[in-house]
Amino acid sequence: VRPLTARPLKFTVTSPYMLAKTLLDTHYHDIRALADALAGVLAAQVAEIDGPVLQIDEAHLTGHPEDGAWAHEPINRVLRAVPAGQERALHLCFGNYGGQSIQRGFWRDLIPFLNALEVDHLVLETARRPEEELDDLRGLRPGIALGTGVIDIKDNEVEPEDLVARRIEQAVRALGPERIRWVHPDCGFW
């Protein structure tokens, strides 16, 4: 994909866990086996991608934190296939269906899952979340850089500059300037 643009590039794929949760499984009849098989297909594909950043998008696990005990395994399988020298990222959000969150959950419940990931950085939905949830992200292991969502894509209103600036300042205050490396929209595909 590198020849497609002269600008820095991030290539994004859907998580094997999210695919396994949303596909009709008439073969494996086991979500873990299906997620692992999907991870194998995705790993073979991402091994061939020549771009600075490979990002996996996951919008389902946030509503099922109990699956975090195993869901990191197929996701890490894909991340391990990313060629050396490329950043490995994971985006998590609470879903978007017609401007509504479709997953219920809290960042605090996902910290063990997030810490088990073999990522360089996380890209998180934080604009639509309660501000105090930023404090929960302090439990992330050192070495994981963060991108925090500062644009709420579930709202059709254009946010004023001062609101976006306030969200950035809140994230830096809660998590420290060394942890926040990017600001972005809440959705990994937008």
Side-chain angles (χ1 to χ4, degrees), residues 73 75 156 164:
E73 295 167 1
I75 292 171
N156 290 328
V164 174

Side-chain angles (χ1 to χ4, degrees), residues 11-71:
F11 195 91
T12 305
V13 299
T14 303
S15 157
Y17 172 83
M18 184 171 162
L19 289 170
K21 287 293 274 192
T22 57
L23 292 174
L24 178 61
D25 178 10
T26 61
H27 179 75
Y28 295 96
H29 305 287
D30 178 290
I31 190 165
R32 291 178 76 164
L34 177 58
D36 186 59
L38 290 164
V41 171
L42 292 169
Q45 291 177 341
V46 303
E48 301 297 321
I49 295 172
D50 182 22
V53 179
L54 184 287
Q55 177 177 296
I56 297 174
D57 270 33
E58 174 54 63
H60 204 80
L61 186 73
T62 50
H64 305 276
E66 67 280 2
D67 288 348
W70 65 268

